[in-house]
């Protein structure tokens, strides 16, 4: 009971400090005590927050204990507050269950903690125990070979399982394994399964052949020391010299074949890695192109881009880097364990005694260095950004006489960085000697026990001599185990994310009633439409509108009233919840999606221009339009003047090295793009919001002809944009139509529109 109380009190004292530092819409900075000096907690916190809806970017810094969260402005301050606190508590708890106890919080500079010393002492104890066991067992009792070996196997399994469970990636791995009966690696290999099997066979053969020379060389020594080998005499090799020739020949042959096979295996694995990446990349790019916008909107672009690049590369990386390793390690065990059990059962367990110890060393080395490397890279980026910041702000620094303050700040960060790196270097330097020590201890054990058996006459000298070095083959491979298991887990976790993305539904582009775009009249009707984004209150409530064929309809309203949403519904980026959207009297859900979108030209609020020339951008979607059409569209959109003034005119590259365009210029280019497409219906969503009033008026005059036989829907918050429309809808908050009519009718009505008009006219003349 007291221990429970103590635990609770102790945990209370550990209660993490979670405090907002600065909060502005869309961006919050926090002080999170529990993250300070704990890269794993920072990593967990980052990972969990990134999974949350509405969170766009997260950065938790273990060097400063700070957290930066950028989020969708639709999330309220309170919601983010709650989310952060909940996730911090969860991450802290998760870190505790993963490590058994929280790693010590070492102040800003993560220093050598209690656990690290535990590691060292545990190592010494286990090493000492091993030696003691070997020595005492050698002279007094010999365990039954199976019991001894069983113990070694159990210890190995315990080490590997523990390391596996501690990894935060393990849960992804089990999630992926649960989803399909097929092994994740076979799922990844896909249609390249044959190559996977062939490469596997090559790796296994290479390992077997690799073991041959070391055994044959020992055999040669036996032949030299003891005279002829009876086994070889039976093969017809009577003289020592011929036996030496034979053994040398086989050794050389095995080495040559192993080298050739090893080359083939290397090529096969790398080629498999490339093919797998290529196949998944092609499939996933095509898939993402076809996924409905409604699903993509819920995802962060950087996350999807991350899956399409990093995760897909990771799918191949395991085959290129670690598959060969696992097969070779497995083969070594499968060959050596039975050989030892069969030929020298008495010393088999000693030979493999270091396996669990080296495996454990490998995992703990990998785990520690991974978290230290993470801290180190955090620290270096912190140092860099501080430096850049400092240089950019040099006028401010000098004017406040803060040079010494800045010097101290950089000095401190640099010291933190050095401290982390020192620990990484020390650990790396200690790793190999420790592994070597373990291997040597086991070798001495085999020498002693085997030697005693040889003396007692229970073990032939030839067998002893041939096998004495064999376990080293396995031991030298083991140090890479931590890294290889990590690669495997990363690969399966990446597969999980790729499969999640692949499960997003694609649009049924080709099904439905075909539509002859040339015959479209262009009347669009919203009939009692209600719509809500997932998990949000309705944006549109029972909205009815009629966009008359070959007329101009204006939609105005405050930001967030749902104007863009109406455009999305007309294009079927989203589907209505209730009500209908009709095109020429036809429910658009019945129309073939491709045709619907061919019939509508859409200039989005945030005009997007692709990397390429201005010409490429205007003819986007109408790829084979004649140059004259491109120029005349640019003229209508009032883009011609500024394009002509650019150095390479229509061939000017847009982007870093080319012209940097203003918001209004970009808008005019995307307007030109819609004009080139020349569809029967055109929706302009705030398409001229960044254009000055004069140019806007010019665009309106120019578009008159273009709009004559088309249905034009103009969405705007500036009333001058739509005042000449044939019919105007005024949207109000709450997703309802507040007023409708022509400009003059609405002014006469003295309602929302009229007061907005007065306000904007006042603004314009102010
Ligand atoms: N993809 C989305 N997911 C969730 N909410 C959204 C999404 N797009 C818009 N909204 C919300 O719907 C409301 C209406 O948005 P929108 O149609 O863009 O308004 P407007 O174009 O009139 O400014 C806003 O409150 C906005 O936050
Ligand atoms: Mg909008």
């Amino acid at each position: 009971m007291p221990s429970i109380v103590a635990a609770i009190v102790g945990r209370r004292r550990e209660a993490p400090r979670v405090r907002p530092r600065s909060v502005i819409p869309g961006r919050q900075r926090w002080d999170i005590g529990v993250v300070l000096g704990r890269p794993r907690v920072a990593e967990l916190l980052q990972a969990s927050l990134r999974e949350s809806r509405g969170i766009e970017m997260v950065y938790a810094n273990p060097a400063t204990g700070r957290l930066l969260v950028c989020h969708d402005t639709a999330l309220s301050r309170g919601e983010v507050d709650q989310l952060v606190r909940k996730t911090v508590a969860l991450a802290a708890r998760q870190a505790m269950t993963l490590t058994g106890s929280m790693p010590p919080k070492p102040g800003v500079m993560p220093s050598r903690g209690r656990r690290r010393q535990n590691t060292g002492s545990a190592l010494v104890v286990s090493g000492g125990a091993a030696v003691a066991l070997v020595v005492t067992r050698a002279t007094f009792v010999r365990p039954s070979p199976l019991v001894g070996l069983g113990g070694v196997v159990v210890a190995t399994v315990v080490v590997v399982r523990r390391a596996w469970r501690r990894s935060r990636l393990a849960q992804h791995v089990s999630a992926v394994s649960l989803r399909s009966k097929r092994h994740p690696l076979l799922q990844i290999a896909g249609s390249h399964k044959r190559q996977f099997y062939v490469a596997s066979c090559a790796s296994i053969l290479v390992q077997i052949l690799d073991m041959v020379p070391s055994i044959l060389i020992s055999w040669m020594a036996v032949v030299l020391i003891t005279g002829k080998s009876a086994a070889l005499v039976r093969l017809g090799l009577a003289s020592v010299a011929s036996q030496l020739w034979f053994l040398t020949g086989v050794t050389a042959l095995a080495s040559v074949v192993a080298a050739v096979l090893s080359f083939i295996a290397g090529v096969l694995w790398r080629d498999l890695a490339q093919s797998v990446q290529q196949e998944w990349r092609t499939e996933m790019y095509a898939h993402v192109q076809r996924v409905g916008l409604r699903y993509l909107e819920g995802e962060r672009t950087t996350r999807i881009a991350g899956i399409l690049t990093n995760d897909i590369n990771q799918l191949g990386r395991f085959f290129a880097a670690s598959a060969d390793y696992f097969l070779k390690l497995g083969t070594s065990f499968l060959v050596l364990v039975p050989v030892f059990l069969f030929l020298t059962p008495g010393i088999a367990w000693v030979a493999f005694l270091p396996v669990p110890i080296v495996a454990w060393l490998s995992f703990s080395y990998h785990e520690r260095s991974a978290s230290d490397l993470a801290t180190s890279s955090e620290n270096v980026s912190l140092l860099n950004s501080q430096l850049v910041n400092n240089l950019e702000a040099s006028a401010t620094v000098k004017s406040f006489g803060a040079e010494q303050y800045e010097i101290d700040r950089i000095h401190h960060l640099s010291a933190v960085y050095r401290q982390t790196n020192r620990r990484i270097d020390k650990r790396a330097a200690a790793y190999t000697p420790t592994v070597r020590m373990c291997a040597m201890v086991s070798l001495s054990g085999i020498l002693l026990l085997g030697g005693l058996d040889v003396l007692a006459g229970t073990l032939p000298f030839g067998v002893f001599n041939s096998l004495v070095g064999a376990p080293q083959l396995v031991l030298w491979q083991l140090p890479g185990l931590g890294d290889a298991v990590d690669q495997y887990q990363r690969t399966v976790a990446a597969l999980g994310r790729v499969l999640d993305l692949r499960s997003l539904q694609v649009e049924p582009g080709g099904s439905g009633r075909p539509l002859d775009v040339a015959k479209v009249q262009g009347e669009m009707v919203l009939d009692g439409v209600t719509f809500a984004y997932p998990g949000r209150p309705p944006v549109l409530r029972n909205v009815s509108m009629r966009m008359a064929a070959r007329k101009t309809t204006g939609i105005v309203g405050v930001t967030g009233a749902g104007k863009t949403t109406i455009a999305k519904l007309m294009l079927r980026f989203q589907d209505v919840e209730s009500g209908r959207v009709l095109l020429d009297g036809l429910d658009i859900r019945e129309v073939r999606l491709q045709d619907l979108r061919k019939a509508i030209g859409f200039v989005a609020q945030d005009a997007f221009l692709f990397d390429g020339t201005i010409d490429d951008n205007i003819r986007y979607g109408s790829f084979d339009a004649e140059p004259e059409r491109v120029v005349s569209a640019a003229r209508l959109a009032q883009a011609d003047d500024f394009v002509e003034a650019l150095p390479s005119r229509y061939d000017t590259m847009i982007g870093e090295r080319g012209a940097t365009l203003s918001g209004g210029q970009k808008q005019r280019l995307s307007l030109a793009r819609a004009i080139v497409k020349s569809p029967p219906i055109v929706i302009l969503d705030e398409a001229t919001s960044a254009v000055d009033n004069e140019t806007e008026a010019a665009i309106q005059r120019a578009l008159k002809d273009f709009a004559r036989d088309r249905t034009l829907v103009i969405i705007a918050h500036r009333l001058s944009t739509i005042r000449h429309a044939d019919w105007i809808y005024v949207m109000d908050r709450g997703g309802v139509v507040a007023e409708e009519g022509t400009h003059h009718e609405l002014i006469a009505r003295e309602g929302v529109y009229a007061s907005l008009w007065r306000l904007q006219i006042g603004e314009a003349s102010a």
Side-chain angles (χ1 to χ4, degrees):
M1 194 66 185
S3 64
I4 298 174
V5 174
I8 294 169
V9 172
R11 216 169 266 182
R12 282 234 176 100
R13 232 174 262 143
E14 264 272 350
R17 175 166 52 90
V18 181
R19 205 176 52 203
R21 281 175 66 84
S22 75
V23 176
I24 53 171
R27 198 179 165 95
Q28 303 199 353
R29 284 176 197 282
W30 287 71
D31 263 336
I32 312 283
V34 79
V35 165
L36 195 62
R38 291 175 182 135
R40 279 178 92 204
V41 183
E43 219 176 280
L44 272 171
L45 181 61
Q46 261 179 200
S48 332
L49 275 175
R50 276 187 193 139
E51 302 287 313
S52 311
R53 221 181 164 81
I55 299 297
E56 281 155 6
M57 202 269 280
V58 184
Y59 179 61
N61 189 336
T64 56
R66 293 203 184 141
L67 171 76
L68 169 68
V69 184
C70 295
H71 60 90
D72 188 342
T73 42
L75 277 183
S76 74
R77 176 189 173 153
E79 282 173 316
V80 179
D81 194 289
Q82 245 182 2
L83 183 69
V84 169
R85 288 178 197 278
K86 213 172 67 190
T87 317
V88 167
L90 208 71
R93 225 176 307 140
Q94 228 172 331
M96 224 163 4
T97 48
L98 285 176
T99 53
S101 67
M102 274 300 261
K105 184 177 129 185
V108 177
M109 254 182 253
S111 67
R112 219 189 308 169
R114 214 181 320 130
R115 269 188 47 193
R116 308 250 151 82
Q117 283 162 5
N118 285 350
T119 315
S121 47
L123 185 64
V124 171
V125 169
S126 48
V131 177
L133 206 63
V134 170
V135 174
T136 51
R137 290 288 161 98
T139 40
F140 302 116
V141 237
R142 282 287 184 90
S144 125
L146 278 178
V147 171
L149 200 62
V152 171
V153 170
V154 168
T156 311
V157 170
V158 168
V159 165
V160 174
R161 265 175 66 114
R162 199 164 158 258
W164 184 273
R165 289 214 178 132
R166 280 161 71 117
S167 160
R168 83 186 159 82
L169 292 165
Q171 29 183 306
H172 292 276
V173 176
S174 48
V176 174
S177 311
L178 279 178
R179 218 180 297 171
S180 162
K181 283 207 175 65
R182 270 201 308 163
H183 192 275
L185 291 180
L186 288 182
Q187 287 185 54
I188 295 173
S191 63
H192 304 283
K193 246 180 271 143
R194 249 182 72 144
Q195 188 171 350
F196 174 67
Y197 291 132
V198 173
S200 302
C201 290
S203 288
I204 292 171
L205 270 177
V206 169
Q207 183 58 32
I208 293 173
L209 288 173
D210 266 348
M211 287 192 270
V212 170
S214 86
I215 292 176
L216 291 188
I217 289 167
S218 313
W219 201 354
M220 254 152 72
V222 175
V223 168
L224 284 176
I225 296 166
T226 62
K228 287 173 229 174
S229 158
L232 292 177
V233 171
R234 251 176 273 133
L235 281 179
L237 299 162
S239 69
V240 175
S242 66
Q243 292 192 351
L244 284 184
W245 272 106
F246 173 74
L247 290 174
T248 314
V250 176
T251 306
L253 187 68
S255 307
V256 170
V257 176
V260 172
L261 268 181
S262 180
F263 165 74
I264 294 174
V267 171
L268 281 176
W269 283 121
R270 283 182 179 82
D271 182 58
L272 177 63
Q274 293 297 330
S275 313
V276 159
Q277 286 174 2
Q278 157 86 1
E279 184 169 307
W280 279 93
R281 207 179 289 132
T282 320
E283 185 194 330
M284 293 305 296
Y285 279 15
H287 177 78
V288 168
Q289 292 299 320
R290 293 200 200 102
V291 166
L293 191 67
R294 73 200 77 164
Y295 301 111
L296 291 182
E297 272 183 346
E299 298 278 346
R300 286 186 315 276
T301 324
T302 45
R303 205 179 92 84
I304 297 183
I307 294 173
L308 291 178
T309 53
N310 300 341
D311 283 343
I312 283 179
N313 284 344
Q314 179 66 43
L315 292 187
R317 211 167 289 146
F318 178 80
F319 292 126
S322 306
D324 181 60
Y325 170 84
F326 276 118
L327 284 164
K328 285 185 169 165
L329 189 66
T331 308
S332 307
F333 275 112
L334 283 180
V335 171
L336 285 182
V337 172
V339 165
F340 264 80
L341 270 184
F342 182 66
L343 294 176
T344 61
I347 58 171
W349 67 276
V350 189
F352 294 102
L353 185 64
V355 167
I357 301 173
V358 176
W360 175 65
L361 275 173
S362 170
F363 282 120
S364 67
Y365 171 74
H366 178 81
E367 191 183 314
R368 300 270 155 70
S369 357
S371 83
D372 270 352
L373 285 172
T375 317
S376 170
S377 78
E378 294 277 3
N379 286 339
V380 77
S381 63
L382 197 70
L383 185 60
N384 286 346
S385 70
Q386 189 73 55
L387 272 173
V388 171
N389 218 309
N390 175 289
L391 292 175
E392 281 172 350
S394 55
T396 315
V397 171
K398 287 188 195 307
S399 70
F400 282 93
E403 289 93 340
Q404 190 55 45
Y405 173 76
E406 288 298 330
I407 292 170
D408 291 346
R409 219 148 62 134
I410 296 288
H411 176 75
H412 171 71
L413 284 177
S414 169
V416 173
Y417 180 49
R418 178 185 159 196
Q419 180 76 18
T420 326
N421 281 353
R422 186 186 274 170
R423 233 182 24 245
I424 293 173
D425 295 343
K426 218 191 259 175
R427 194 168 289 138
Y431 184 50
T432 318
T434 318
V435 170
R436 181 172 304 165
M437 180 194 78
C438 284
M440 285 304 154
V441 167
S442 106
L443 183 62
S444 357
I446 301 177
L447 279 175
L448 179 64
L449 289 187
L452 290 175
D453 281 354
V454 170
L455 281 182
T458 51
L459 178 65
F461 173 68
V463 175
F464 169 73
N465 194 50
S466 306
L467 289 186
V468 84
Q472 307 294 315
L473 287 175
V474 181
L475 289 179
W476 288 124
Q477 289 178 336
L478 271 180
L481 190 60
D483 213 20
V485 167
D486 183 64
Q487 277 298 332
Y488 175 74
Q489 291 187 331
R490 273 174 205 283
T491 302
V492 180
L495 175 68
R497 286 188 289 268
V498 171
L499 292 180
D500 280 345
L501 185 58
R502 199 171 65 172
S503 68
L504 293 183
Q505 220 174 321
V506 295
E507 291 180 327
S511 60
R513 191 193 288 213
L515 194 72
D516 186 352
V517 177
K519 293 197 184 128
V520 167
Q521 292 299 308
E523 184 200 51
M524 289 210 76
V525 172
L526 269 68
D527 178 18
V529 166
T530 299
F531 172 79
Y533 290 100
R536 305 278 178 94
V539 178
L540 301 175
R541 291 171 213 261
N542 196 21
V543 169
S544 294
M545 285 182 181
R546 179 167 168 270
M547 286 68 146
R550 298 163 205 273
K551 299 270 185 228
T552 299
T553 307
I555 303 176
V556 289
V558 288
T559 312
K563 304 183 297 292
T564 300
T565 305
I566 290 176
K568 286 188 202 164
L569 291 174
M570 290 165 73
L571 281 150
R572 262 198 91 195
F573 291 157
Q574 302 277 359
D575 271 335
V576 294
E577 216 167 81
S578 65
R580 298 179 301 167
V581 180
L582 307 172
L583 167 61
D584 290 346
L586 252 173
D587 192 320
I588 57 170
R589 281 172 292 197
E590 289 166 20
V591 176
R592 195 155 78 175
L593 195 60
Q594 286 169 352
D595 294 345
L596 172 75
R597 295 198 182 146
K598 257 184 226 154
I600 303 179
F602 177 53
V603 182
Q605 193 166 359
D606 39 358
F608 187 86
L609 297 185
F610 295 90
D611 218 2
T613 63
I614 290 194
D615 182 73
D616 292 340
N617 268 284
I618 296 180
R619 62 169 68 247
Y620 188 83
S622 323
F623 299 102
D624 38 16
E626 305 81 38
E628 306 82 60
R629 265 180 66 203
V630 170
V631 175
S632 80
R635 230 168 253 151
L636 277 184
Q638 306 297 308
D640 189 47
D641 283 352
F642 82 81
V643 174
E644 289 292 343
L646 290 169
S648 314
R649 303 174 54 217
Y650 284 86
D651 294 325
T652 310
M653 291 290 291
I654 298 171
E656 276 179 39
R657 279 174 304 119
T660 37
L661 302 177
S662 73
Q665 289 171 335
K666 283 187 197 162
Q667 283 191 334
R668 278 178 269 169
L669 290 184
S670 44
L671 182 59
R673 189 189 285 163
I675 295 173
V676 173
K677 182 177 173 185
S678 187
I681 302 165
V682 178
I683 304 174
L684 307 179
D685 185 4
E686 312 260 6
T688 48
S689 59
V691 174
D692 60 273
N693 285 333
E694 225 168 281
T695 314
E696 187 182 41
I699 292 175
Q700 283 177 2
R701 279 195 299 277
L703 280 187
K704 255 196 191 130
D705 263 351
F706 176 76
R708 189 150 299 139
D709 52 355
R710 279 168 231 274
T711 307
L712 199 59
V713 180
I714 306 180
I715 297 173
H717 66 266
R718 194 154 65 188
L719 301 188
S720 59
T721 316
I722 47 100
R723 67 171 290 190
H724 298 295
D726 298 299
W727 199 254
I728 297 167
Y729 289 97
V730 184
M731 297 289 299
D732 207 353
R733 274 184 216 288
V736 291
V737 176
E739 293 171 353
E740 59 182 291
T742 61
H743 173 74
H744 295 293
E745 286 168 12
L746 289 170
I747 294 287
R749 186 190 268 223
E750 287 289 339
V752 188
Y753 185 89
S755 57
L756 268 176
W757 178 256
R758 272 196 300 275
L759 201 71
Q760 292 191 6
I761 292 296
E763 261 175 19
S765 58

